[in-house]
Amino acid sequence: MKSLKFFFLFGFFLLVITAQAQNKTYHIEGTVQTSGIEKVYFTPGNFRGLANEKPREVLVKNNKFSITGSFTEPIPGYIALAENSVAGSDQMFPFVIDAGKQLLTIENPIGKSKFSGSKADLDFKTFNQGQRIYDEKFMQLNADAQSGIQKGISTDSLQARFEPLFKDAQKEMLKFQRGFIAKHPDAYISLIIIPQIAQLTQNYIAADSLL
């Protein structure tokens, strides 16, 4: 029943996005800092769990290239120097595309590339910077719990020790996320965070008030 509530809540958010969405265009002006690069590969993605499109080959001339397209909401994009680069690895540089003109500078290594001109991208980076603290805390707690298992400590003892720590960390994270939404009510990432908060807290009325 809880999963159905989450499904309908998230579906409602998507309906709101679709109803308010208007077709927009983006134009990315790119510069390659390394000479001898004749092609780059651009992959547009999405935030809805769908498969990403196939990489698009983009020609580079005099270390310059451009990418244009249309969309109804901000989308993730990935740039790589090889067609078979793996998403999520250091072979690709991720960014979030918004409407209008944006600048992309490809450095060597590609992970040091720069992207500017997108409010959605800046909001995502701001959120991720704050969220990283809690991600690292959860990773450390999980590593400590796994270490206890390897040492032969009983499951009951580990649960008694770590469950309160996980709950406290989750409360801190939720406080940060709610605060981010309050400070950035027009950020696209804020809309994405709300269903996650609903799923964690199972408080769908409170999540609806955030919307």
Side-chain angles (χ1 to χ4, degrees):
M1 187 65 179
K2 291 180 179 179
S3 60
L4 283 176
K5 287 183 180 178
F6 175 68
F7 172 80
F8 287 124
L9 180 67
F10 190 58
F12 172 70
F13 289 151
L14 295 183
L15 285 174
V16 171
I17 295 172
T18 304
Q20 295 180 345
Q22 296 178 351
N23 201 46
K24 303 175 183 179
T25 60
Y26 62 85
H27 177 78
I28 301 172
E29 292 187 1
T31 301
V32 180
Q33 297 291 65
T34 305
S35 60
I37 303 297
E38 298 180 350
K39 300 175 183 178
V40 294
Y41 295 88
F42 166 67
T43 306
N46 63 85
F47 291 113
R48 302 193 181 193
L50 305 174
N52 292 342
E53 296 182 26
K54 292 182 179 180
R56 303 178 190 174
E57 183 180 281
V58 181
L59 297 180
V60 178
K61 186 175 182 180
N62 297 325
N63 287 359
K64 301 288 185 180
F65 65 92
S66 64
I67 302 170
T68 58
S70 61
F71 68 129
T72 56
E73 60 191 51
I75 59 173
Y78 308 89
I79 202 78
L81 300 179
E83 186 176 9
N84 59 351
S85 297
V86 178
S89 71
D90 56 5
Q91 300 171 332
M92 281 188 166
F93 177 70
F95 47 95
V96 182
I97 302 169
D98 214 331
K101 178 181 174 182
Q102 289 136 92
L103 303 177
L104 174 60
T105 303
I106 297 181
E107 304 279 358
N108 186 17
I110 198 168
K112 294 185 177 181
S113 300
K114 300 177 180 64
F115 185 69
S116 62
S118 165
K119 181 184 181 302
D121 185 74
L122 183 59
D123 289 335
F124 267 78
K125 288 176 179 175
T126 301
F127 172 76
N128 287 334
Q129 185 177 7
Q131 179 67 28
R132 189 176 297 115
I133 298 172
Y134 306 100
D135 292 341
E136 291 174 352
K137 183 174 291 188
F138 283 121
M139 288 177 62
Q140 186 59 56
L141 287 173
N142 186 64
D144 292 343
Q146 291 296 324
S147 176
I149 292 174
Q150 293 176 358
K151 292 177 181 178
I153 300 175
S154 70
T155 302
D156 291 341
S157 297
L158 290 172
Q159 184 174 354
R161 176 185 173 188
F162 285 101
E163 187 172 1
L165 298 177
F166 273 104
K167 286 183 177 179
D168 288 344
Q170 187 179 86
K171 287 180 181 178
E172 292 176 11
M173 181 187 71
L174 288 169
K175 182 178 179 181
F176 158 72
Q177 292 179 346
R178 292 189 184 103
F180 181 91
I181 293 171
K183 291 179 181 178
H184 304 84
D186 61 340
Y188 189 75
I189 178 64
S190 293
L191 192 63
I192 294 177
I193 299 169
I194 293 174
Q196 298 177 9
I197 293 176
Q199 188 179 37
L200 280 174
T201 63
Q202 297 295 305
N203 189 337
Y204 302 96
I205 295 175
D208 181 67
S209 68
L210 291 172
L211 179 64

